[in-house]
Amino acid sequence: MSDLLLDAVVSGVQVIDLGRQLKVGMPQSPNHPQFWHTMPRRHGDVMRSDGGSAANDMITTGTHVGTHIDALAHVSQDGKLFGGVDASASCLGGKYVEHGVHTIEPMIRRGILIDPPTWLGVSDLEGGREITVGDLKQSLQSQGTVIRAGDVVLIRSGWGKKFAEGAAYLGGTSGVPGISEEGATWLAAQGIHTVGADTIAFERLAPGGGHAHLPAHRIFLVENGIYIVEALDLEELSARKIYEFTLVLVPLNIFGATGSPVRPLAVVAA
Amino acid sequence: MSDLLLDAVVSGVQVIDLGRQLKVGMPQSPNHPQFWHTMPRRHGDVMRSDGGSAANDMITTGTHVGTHIDALAHVSQDGKLFGGVDASASCLGGKYVEHGVHTIEPMIRRGILIDPPTWLGVSDLEGGREITVGDLKQSLQSQGTVIRAGDVVLIRSGWGKKFAEGAAYLGGTSGVPGISEEGATWLAAQGIHTVGADTIAFERLAPGGGHAHLPAHRIFLVENGIYIVEALDLEELSARKIYEFTLVLVPLNIFGATGSPVRPLAVVAA
Amino acid sequence: MSDLLLDAVVSGVQVIDLGRQLKVGMPQSPNHPQFWHTMPRRHGDVMRSDGGSAANDMITTGTHVGTHIDALAHVSQDGKLFGGVDASASCLGGKYVEHGVHTIEPMIRRGILIDPPTWLGVSDLEGGREITVGDLKQSLQSQGTVIRAGDVVLIRSGWGKKFAEGAAYLGGTSGVPGISEEGATWLAAQGIHTVGADTIAFERLAPGGGHAHLPAHRIFLVENGIYIVEALDLEELSARKIYEFTLVLVPLNIFGATGSPVRPLAVVAA
Amino acid sequence: MSDLLLDAVVSGVQVIDLGRQLKVGMPQSPNHPQFWHTMPRRHGDVMRSDGGSAANDMITTGTHVGTHIDALAHVSQDGKLFGGVDASASCLGGKYVEHGVHTIEPMIRRGILIDPPTWLGVSDLEGGREITVGDLKQSLQSQGTVIRAGDVVLIRSGWGKKFAEGAAYLGGTSGVPGISEEGATWLAAQGIHTVGADTIAFERLAPGGGHAHLPAHRIFLVENGIYIVEALDLEELSARKIYEFTLVLVPLNIFGATGSPVRPLAVVAA
């Protein structure tokens, strides 16, 4: 029996981790329950007679916290989810039985990076800078990368460097760079499967503007059934100029939830 | 540029999901905080002026709940973790900075299934049945499967069928089938990377015996640095007689935790 | 300035604690999120340069867990809360803005104990035993206790002794003693303010019957605006034959919640 | 039977609520798990065949959040809790079995308010202003209030007005007014039982100084076994010039915790 995939894996692969470490105090949107990790039991608290001891954990968190994926159930427009599903009716017993995160298939797909700052010759884009269709096209051309239907498309703004700074990453006063209505419309038209960015809210936020207006969420989640991944770490991909890779993304299978923390991987042959 | 892995992925892969759905009320060990999912915000709770609305979630859970992986920090013996690391000293600020789940590299590795019930011609093993080294060797031989160093080895008992039954899955009175000291010693000697099973505690539990004695945890986690995955769903692999595959397992990168819920995948060329 | 209350307090009071200790693993209804307490930080985790250290906690819990009070928002009948309030409309932004637990005034009121087992000469009533109006009246008469409008009325069944036994307290197979439709109707007619019992669900549960039918909840919460307190510890009051007392009950002021853990006190002059 | 306390209660009492409402997003110290309230079940999610429905809640919170009390186990100095108790040894199985919040007796005691801003003729003290022993003594004299041993002493700075403003209440850059080492030493010498304030950290914080230095915590909790209550609402007491009252404070009986949210009451004869 020959399995091309396993042959490739056994030949050796490199894994680039695109997820942020989950850590108490990391920056996150105040709209979502804060990530907390604490240990009910540490070693030594209870020792078995044979000298063995187990430590364990308790986690409390929103699902749109750290690097995470938005299920289609996350956003509605005029009372409708993707496909015209009624947002109220799809919530049974307090769970989004339609379009919940449990309906996202684990992804092992072609992934590509679009890296406008590198094309522009800057380390990162300033807050509020819109990434236009022109930016996307010219970055792709300069990279020699082609989008194909079914791809997972990751857009780097360089803003991810601020993750370690805490509140600055949220961009409340500075705004945040990203694509907006125009870019989302163009990307959706390419037939992509999932889109991601290195910012907390994925799309361009105006300075001081907050999260009041999120057109890309509507276009991707509600109108096109395209998943959104946020708070990615795209720095290593950019530094190594890896623009095409196998993207592995496995959401937690949480019945009825609107999202999940994820730890996406870019994988390339060693 | 050619990437064997991506070529294989693009040629088409099948994904077999080895993880259990995370659902309020699923069976879990009472030693760990219970999994809960609830939605602070549902569609319609807050509607933006443009007709958009977002729903979100709150999760509370232990990390050894649902399908999950044990980090090496989970178990100590005589005050030591793997490699002789002092269990108390490795806990800084309430986090296991050494051997915490954040130290587990995402896995894209050769995985194999060992399926004693199929070799024995039964649908599943009874509670308390020890899976011996003989069982392992003969199952491997009948399958034509060879263990290699670095593998992820998944052992099916058939007990996973009881997951949907709730408390029966825990096997409090019935016991649970699995390997014990002998099997663990033999498997560890093969140089494997990670081991898994379709039961809640991985190893053989005597009827009525509870979790007082867990030799395989000591052998794998403390003495050999081999990770343990529990509560896997191995039924589809068995039914389809898939004994060799690419195993994808990506723990959440929770700083200092002793484990993580995971959704492992077996992937084969389509 | 003279304050009769403060004079009485300064003269000396005895406090009888009617609340259960909140402890991981205590019996509770599986319908509600489990009580968990864990400590993110223990002494020594982080030491300030001056030798000071602080320890802290994380609590996760349902509100109908341990000794607790039901707000009027807890139960609806045919879509209506007390006073004909629409149950859906009263939930704004995921909070019961009407009849939530934040609307319960702290109670410093006359409280009385009704103790049918003592009148019957038994230590406790058996599972499924209904406490009838006759039982209530005869107990009151034998105690020499009179119900007055505005009272907090606590009904002892003796079942509270099982709290330490765990699952037995829930009475899944045995049923639980308590008042039912008849008793609730009669008590409500006395104009009482709040009612309580030493059982998890307040009312009589038939053996094996579960929580499918809860007429007293409807009568008290929906039809009469009378609060219900559950899982009280009434053993000391009974043993000391204290039938009349100052009842102090202060719910947490949780905006929009349907209940709160409470620690009610019976207070008498020393 | 006559009960002075009950006679006073039945004669009529007024309750002044000194607790803050627990609400998602309220200001709190980032050192403690954030308060979250969410409803797993709302009315209509699951309807019983008889038309009845129950809604319920899930709460996650630190214990030093909202108005709360510090147990003696909260703070250690040089590895010791109050009474020379070893801070490490008192933590068994992850619970402070000594000096945990479960060891605080419910309080029904004489309470007094000390109101320096009123004495000074200002609405509130500025950030970083130390309340000196002179301030305390002159306020007491101008009020005609005498401290007695066993009292619960509440100190108003007026800072509580900022609670509704959010982050300003924490005083990160402004500092916070309050007593410091001198005031704490003097108050402790009066033999008081518990002390409280209308600020988040009880004591004077220097502008920009954070929580690095907390001498009053050491003096009260570690050296004198005096409990501390924080984030009180003392505005109504001050406005009504109520300086002496019955103080009712009932911590949740959480086994082994270092604190508890509380809703203290000042009660006076009507």
Side-chain angles (χ1 to χ4, degrees), chain A residues 8 17 139 198 214 236:
Chain A
D17 191 344
S139 301
D198 54 356
L214 300 171
E236 185 178 347

Side-chain angles (χ1 to χ4, degrees), chain A residues 1-11 13 15 17 19-24 31-33 35 37-44 47-48 50-64 72-79 81 87-88 90-91 93-96 101-102 104-111 148 211-214 218 244-265 267-269, chain B residues 1-11 13 15 17 19-24 31-33 35 37-44 47-48 50-64 72-79 81 87-88 90-91 93-96 101-102 104-111 148 211-214 218 244-265 267-269:
Chain A
M1 184 194 89
S2 172
D3 182 301
L4 285 178
L5 182 75
L6 186 52
D7 291 347
V9 164
V10 169
S11 300
V13 293
V15 171
D17 191 344
R20 298 287 176 186
Q21 190 166 73
L22 294 166
K23 212 166 167 172
V24 177
N31 293 333
H32 299 286
F35 173 81
H37 164 242
T38 156
M39 306 188 69
R41 191 174 284 185
R42 301 183 186 181
H43 291 294
M47 187 80 95
R48 288 198 310 265
D50 67 356
S53 161
N56 66 17
D57 313 277
M58 181 163 183
I59 302 288
T60 295
T61 189
T63 58
H64 301 267
L72 302 184
H74 180 44
V75 170
S76 66
Q77 182 65 32
D78 302 322
L81 303 178
S88 295
S90 70
C91 186
K95 307 295 168 199
Y96 282 98
V101 78
H102 63 288
I104 303 179
E105 292 295 324
M107 299 177 198
I108 299 178
R109 287 181 169 268
R110 182 173 183 262
R148 298 193 194 135
H211 294 202
H213 187 56
L214 300 171
R218 171 179 46 79
E244 192 183 359
F245 41 83
T246 296
L247 190 286
V248 173
L249 186 154
V250 192
L252 291 178
N253 189 352
I254 309 167
F255 180 69
T258 69
S260 171
V262 290
R263 186 180 184 181
L265 309 175
V267 191
V268 291
Chain B
M1 187 193 85
S2 171
D3 180 302
L4 286 177
L5 182 76
L6 185 52
D7 290 346
V9 164
V10 169
S11 299
V13 294
V15 171
D17 192 343
R20 298 287 175 185
Q21 191 165 74
L22 293 166
K23 213 168 168 172
V24 177
N31 293 332
H32 299 287
F35 174 81
H37 165 243
T38 155
M39 306 189 69
R41 191 174 284 184
R42 302 183 186 182
H43 290 295
M47 188 79 98
R48 288 199 308 267
D50 66 357
S53 161
N56 66 19
D57 312 277
M58 182 163 182
I59 302 287
T60 296
T61 189
T63 57
H64 301 267
L72 302 184
H74 180 43
V75 169
S76 65
Q77 182 66 31
D78 302 322
L81 303 178
S88 295
S90 70
C91 185
K95 307 295 168 199
Y96 282 98
V101 78
H102 62 289
I104 304 179
E105 293 295 323
M107 298 177 201
I108 299 178
R109 287 181 170 268
R110 182 172 183 260
R148 297 190 196 139
H211 293 202
H213 188 57
L214 299 170
R218 172 178 47 78
E244 192 183 0
F245 41 84
T246 296
L247 189 285
V248 174
L249 186 152
V250 192
L252 292 177
N253 189 352
I254 310 166
F255 180 69
T258 69
S260 170
V262 290
R263 186 180 183 180
L265 309 175
V267 191
V268 291

Side-chain angles (χ1 to χ4, degrees), chain C residues 3 21-22 37 43 48 50-51 53 55 57 59 61 63 73-74 76-78 95-96 212 251 253 255 258 263 269, chain D residues 3 21-22 37 43 48 50-51 53 55 57 59 61 63 73-74 76-78 95-96 212 251 253 255 258 263 269:
Chain C
D3 181 303
Q21 191 165 73
L22 293 166
H37 164 243
H43 290 295
R48 288 199 308 266
D50 66 357
S53 160
D57 312 277
I59 302 286
T61 188
T63 57
H74 180 43
S76 66
Q77 182 66 32
D78 303 322
K95 307 293 168 200
Y96 282 97
N253 189 351
F255 180 69
T258 69
R263 187 181 183 179
Chain D
D3 181 301
Q21 191 165 73
L22 293 166
H37 165 243
H43 290 295
R48 288 200 308 267
D50 67 357
S53 161
D57 312 278
I59 302 287
T61 189
T63 57
H74 180 42
S76 66
Q77 182 66 32
D78 302 322
K95 307 295 167 197
Y96 282 97
N253 189 352
F255 180 69
T258 68
R263 186 181 184 181

Side-chain angles (χ1 to χ4, degrees), chain A residues 141-166:
Chain A
Q141 189 170 16
S142 76
Q143 297 173 189
T145 315
V146 175
I147 301 183
R148 298 193 194 135
D151 278 358
V152 176
V153 176
L154 309 183
I155 304 165
R156 178 176 171 269
S157 68
W159 196 258
K161 296 176 183 185
K162 296 186 199 293
F163 190 83
E165 295 173 31

